[in-house]
Amino acid sequence: MIEKMTAKIRKHIIFSGHVQGVGFRWHSKSFANSVGLTGWVQNLEDGTVEMEVQGTEEKIDRLIEYLESRNYVMIERMDCRTIPLESSEWEFHERGW
């Protein structure tokens, strides 16, 4: 149980819904950096938001719960998969426009 809580994982997530133009990327970056997650977030042309996030499963779950609780953000769907860890990241940042 303790290993799962402290083991790092990396997830690739596509968020669908009302997720652009509502501070989604800024809130993601701010919260992720405050709890020690690394990765990136970017808007896609189809109106979705793409994210790769790395850290413990507990912290990633906290980030998602935080985003779901933001005013104006309405996540209707998340397509999520676990991907290999990235060893050269030091922070969480925004990509693109």
Side-chain angles (χ1 to χ4, degrees):
M1 178 81 165
I2 292 175
E3 283 185 25
K4 183 179 180 193
M5 299 290 283
T6 59
K8 282 190 177 181
I9 60 171
R10 185 174 188 88
K11 293 196 176 204
H12 178 266
I13 308 169
I14 301 288
F15 295 92
S16 303
H18 190 58
V19 292
Q20 286 192 15
V22 292
F24 191 96
R25 291 179 303 149
W26 184 88
H27 284 293
S28 297
K29 180 178 120 178
S30 177
F31 187 87
N33 282 317
S34 75
V35 297
L37 294 169
T38 62
W40 51 265
V41 61
Q42 69 181 357
N43 287 339
L44 298 179
E45 290 184 16
D46 65 1
T48 61
V49 173
E50 178 180 28
M51 176 186 290
E52 285 191 11
V53 60
Q54 181 167 300
T56 64
E57 190 165 7
E58 176 191 22
K59 287 181 180 179
I60 293 171
D61 288 346
R62 285 177 50 204
L63 169 62
I64 293 168
E65 289 170 6
Y66 172 80
L67 292 170
E68 290 176 325
S69 73
R70 298 297 91 205
N71 290 339
Y72 310 111
V73 171
M74 183 173 291
I75 299 169
E76 294 173 0
R77 179 179 171 165
M78 288 188 309
D79 294 320
C80 182
R81 63 187 169 93
T82 302
I83 59 175
L85 293 173
E86 216 23 84
S87 61
S88 61
E89 282 182 336
W90 306 106
E91 66 180 358
F92 192 95
H93 62 277
E94 294 179 48
R95 282 185 169 178
W97 45 279

